[in-house]
Amino acid sequence: MTFKEQDYVQRSAAEEKQAHNSEAFQLESNKHLNATGEELVRDTSHIKRFVEQWQANPRFQEQMALNPNKAVSDYNLNIYPEEIKPLWDQGNVEKLDEAASFSESMKRWEEALKFDPLQSTKAAMTAVKDPRYHAWRGRQIARTASQFLPSLQNQIAHAPVCFELSKGCSGGCWFCGISAPRLDDIFYYTPENAKLWRDVLGVMKEMLGPAAGAGFCYWGTDPMDNPDYEKFCSDFHDILDIFPQTTTALPLRDVERTRSLLKLSQEKGCFINRFSITSLKMLDQVHEAFTAEELAFVKLVLQNEESKFTKANAGRARKRQHGQGENGLSEQGTIACVTGFLFNMVDRSVKLISPCNADDRWPLGYIVYDEGTFSNADDLKVLLERMIADHMPLSIEPSDTIQFRRDLEYESLPDGFRLSTPIKTFNFRKDLYFRELGEVIHRGDKTTKAIISLFESYGVSSARTFDTLNHMFKWGLLEGV
């Protein structure tokens, strides 16, 4: 087989190594923050704020072109424009000598960009207890690598689990990539709900191990809609050892509550959160309500119309585009970042999902492989075990009908066959065996057992055919991976 699997194997090995050193990553992250965090916050938080205005606000760019010193003063930025000139004077970047390019401010900014506060979460992501889930997640990552541009693929965490703590969302953003319905109900932290919540977290820890800690507590919801959100997050940290990252479009609803959440988050070891910015007015209000230092570890997702941040072609944005001929959406059709279990605690429901490009079948940009409901921890264990057993085999089964993925373009070649998407190509060549095998799979009407028997009649060993089919399975090339 001549298709390349080296990169995938190397990545898997790296993930395994990372998984076995999750505690070391946490210690190193905290060590780095303690040693350089205060200095970096002091010296770079205003550069960060500058970059936010620059990316979101064309008027700010115009002001910088006319009078840089006045512009930074008007926006209360404690920086010297000349020291960060590579960030804004694009016409002069190539003309600057090395000394000017690396002013002390720029050096500190570059150091800040290298700091990864999510190291422990990323390490936990790969420390999966169940080998079936680990293999299934690997196949989903391989599949999406041939469906998404690298710029998007590299951003997708493929987190193992997420939890909705309300039903619906009060935000109502027109571009919502998962078409969140209006806020309808809330999972309050009552004694009964608190017990169920802690039981659910315990089940996830039992089934997934440290990887469960890489989850988060929102989806088609806004965390700030739930008045008890912080209590749920504290339980999450207590049981899974990681305080979950927060993304909210409502940081201004109760500024003091948001400020307290950011403080609690950092105290518990989570050093990155996100605010979704829906307008320039909101950006200015956020910058007025919070100091640059308070937002040093808060990523502002610039969703305002003036920014260059394109909306995913999924969910509500996709529907609006189709209905109104809207332009400016990304070629990529998902905002989904979970490859695993999506809980809604109000409904006591679970879905098994993974990202995909939105289409008529999956308009929200993620595949739903299975779903069910539970009433208690015992119910949940049975449900999750069934989902894993049904959808996460370690290899193909004799009774499986073998078909190529529907989005793959098949091409028969004189010495084999080719599978391709606009993103990636897989060549199976230099052997007439591949040519015949490709034709059989392309027809999509035979089981694993039938294909093996057919090629055995041609003198091909069952081991070779089974191994070849499993390579395709591992690489996410078969339907229903």
Side-chain angles (χ1 to χ4, degrees):
M1 190 174 300
T2 60
F3 66 100
K4 293 182 179 179
E5 61 180 69
Q6 182 180 5
D7 291 344
Y8 181 74
V9 172
Q10 288 179 344
R11 185 194 62 225
S12 296
E15 287 181 347
E16 291 291 346
K17 182 178 179 180
Q18 189 181 43
H20 289 296
N21 290 279
S22 59
E23 292 185 5
F25 273 109
Q26 179 67 66
L27 292 172
E28 185 63 26
S29 177
N30 290 339
K31 179 181 177 182
H32 184 99
L33 183 72
N34 292 334
T36 65
E38 292 184 5
E39 181 180 354
L40 287 176
V41 167
R42 182 180 65 250
D43 293 339
T44 66
S45 58
H46 284 265
I47 299 179
K48 173 180 175 291
R49 180 159 291 195
F50 170 91
V51 171
E52 291 161 356
Q53 284 289 349
W54 178 265
Q55 292 177 339
N57 190 349
R59 185 169 177 271
F60 179 69
Q61 295 182 19
E62 295 172 359
Q63 291 174 296
M64 284 295 299
L66 294 174
N67 191 330
N69 290 319
K70 185 176 186 303
V72 298
S73 176
D74 288 347
Y75 283 83
N76 298 313
L77 298 171
N78 187 23
I79 56 176
Y80 295 101
E82 287 298 314
E83 289 191 359
I84 60 167
K85 205 166 186 178
L87 294 177
W88 60 272
D89 193 358
Q90 298 178 14
N92 281 343
V93 169
E94 295 181 358
K95 300 177 183 178
L96 295 173
D97 60 32
E98 185 172 334
S101 296
F102 292 89
S103 66
E104 287 303 311
S105 294
M106 287 299 296
K107 288 178 182 178
R108 287 191 291 269
W109 177 243
E110 290 183 349
E111 183 180 357
L113 293 178
K114 293 176 184 176
F115 175 47
D116 184 359
L118 289 178
Q119 284 184 2
S120 60
T121 302
K122 291 176 180 177
M125 198 91 69
T126 59
V128 181
K129 182 178 180 180
D130 194 310
R132 296 169 297 174
Y133 172 82
H134 182 78
W136 179 77
R137 180 177 183 266
R139 292 194 298 272
Q140 301 303 319
I141 293 173
R143 169 182 59 80
T144 56
S146 65
Q147 295 175 325
F148 301 150
L149 291 169
S151 57
L152 175 63
Q153 175 73 356
N154 293 337
Q155 295 177 22
I156 296 178
H158 293 278
V161 63
C162 70
F163 302 92
E164 295 180 320
L165 299 175
S166 57
K167 189 173 182 179
C169 176
S170 68
C173 298
W174 69 263
F175 50 81
C176 180
I178 49 179
S179 296
R182 290 184 178 181
L183 181 64
D184 181 60
D185 201 354
I186 292 173
F187 188 70
Y188 293 101
Y189 196 83
T190 64
E192 178 186 1
N193 286 348
K195 181 181 184 307
L196 178 63
W197 172 243
R198 293 180 67 88
D199 286 347
V200 167
L201 295 178
V203 170
M204 296 312 300
K205 182 176 183 178
E206 178 184 340
M207 299 193 76
L208 295 181
F216 48 91
C217 301
Y218 59 89
W219 185 255
T221 58
D222 192 289
M224 306 308 278
D225 277 335
N226 191 314
D228 300 323
Y229 174 73
E230 294 87 341
K231 296 177 182 178
F232 290 111
C233 288
S234 293
D235 281 354
F236 190 104
H237 176 265
D238 184 41
I239 294 173
L240 300 177
D241 298 324
I242 294 178
F243 195 89
Q245 176 266 338
T246 296
T247 295
T248 177
L250 305 173
L252 298 171
R253 175 174 288 179
D254 184 337
V255 171
E256 288 309 312
R257 180 189 175 193
T258 303
R259 184 173 284 114
S260 295
L261 173 60
L262 296 179
K263 181 180 178 182
L264 175 66
S265 181
Q266 290 193 22
E267 288 174 349
K268 298 288 188 178
C270 177
F271 297 107
I272 191 68
N273 293 289
R274 302 192 304 174
F275 293 170
S276 292
I277 303 299
T278 58
S279 68
L280 270 182
K281 180 180 179 181
M282 180 182 177
L283 176 63
D284 290 338
Q285 290 174 334
V286 166
H287 279 180
E288 182 178 352
F290 300 93
T291 67
E293 290 78 9
E294 285 177 316
L295 298 185
F297 297 106
V298 178
K299 178 178 175 58
L300 301 191
V301 184
L302 304 172
Q303 303 274 16
N304 61 297
E305 293 184 4
E306 298 86 353
S307 77
K308 295 181 180 179
F309 188 89
T310 55
K311 312 298 187 291
N313 190 8
R316 202 171 287 148
R318 180 175 182 267
K319 185 176 181 180
R320 174 172 170 172
Q321 181 194 44
H322 288 187
Q324 302 179 14
E326 198 78 22
N327 294 319
L329 298 186
S330 169
E331 293 180 3
Q332 296 300 305
T334 190
I335 63 168
C337 57
V338 169
T339 289
F341 301 106
L342 165 59
F343 283 75
N344 183 279
M345 296 303 298
V346 174
D347 292 337
R348 290 161 171 71
S349 65
V350 189
K351 295 178 180 178
L352 178 63
I353 67 172
S354 187
C356 68
N357 279 314
D359 57 19
D360 290 342
R361 185 183 185 190
W362 305 116
L364 304 184
Y366 59 89
I367 300 167
V368 179
Y369 289 98
D370 206 337
E371 56 187 306
T373 58
F374 63 96
S375 58
N376 54 48
D378 291 336
D379 281 353
L380 180 60
K381 288 180 183 179
V382 172
L383 175 62
L384 296 184
E385 180 56 41
R386 181 191 63 74
M387 288 184 178
I388 290 173
D390 287 351
H391 300 281
M392 301 181 185
L394 291 173
S395 66
I396 55 175
E397 300 291 338
S399 60
D400 290 341
T401 299
I402 304 299
Q403 302 171 319
F404 291 129
R405 266 182 15 222
R406 290 180 297 170
D407 64 305
L408 290 168
E409 181 178 343
Y410 171 79
E411 181 183 357
S412 180
L413 302 172
D415 62 345
F417 68 92
R418 176 178 294 136
L419 299 173
S420 61
T421 69
I423 306 298
K424 200 168 186 178
T425 298
F426 301 86
N427 289 308
F428 295 75
R429 305 191 64 177
K430 299 182 180 179
D431 194 329
L432 292 178
Y433 161 72
F434 287 143
R435 187 171 188 269
E436 297 303 317
L437 181 62
E439 288 295 314
V440 171
I441 299 175
H442 181 54
R443 288 195 294 270
D445 59 356
K446 293 189 183 304
T447 64
T448 303
K449 183 177 180 181
I451 293 173
I452 290 175
S453 296
L454 175 65
F455 280 89
E456 275 186 320
S457 69
Y458 298 154
V460 180
S461 71
S462 60
R464 182 184 183 190
T465 302
F466 186 70
D467 183 61
T468 301
L469 294 178
N470 268 305
H471 272 291
M472 296 179 187
F473 177 64
K474 174 182 175 182
W475 272 76
L477 300 177
L478 302 180
E479 186 66 21
V481 296

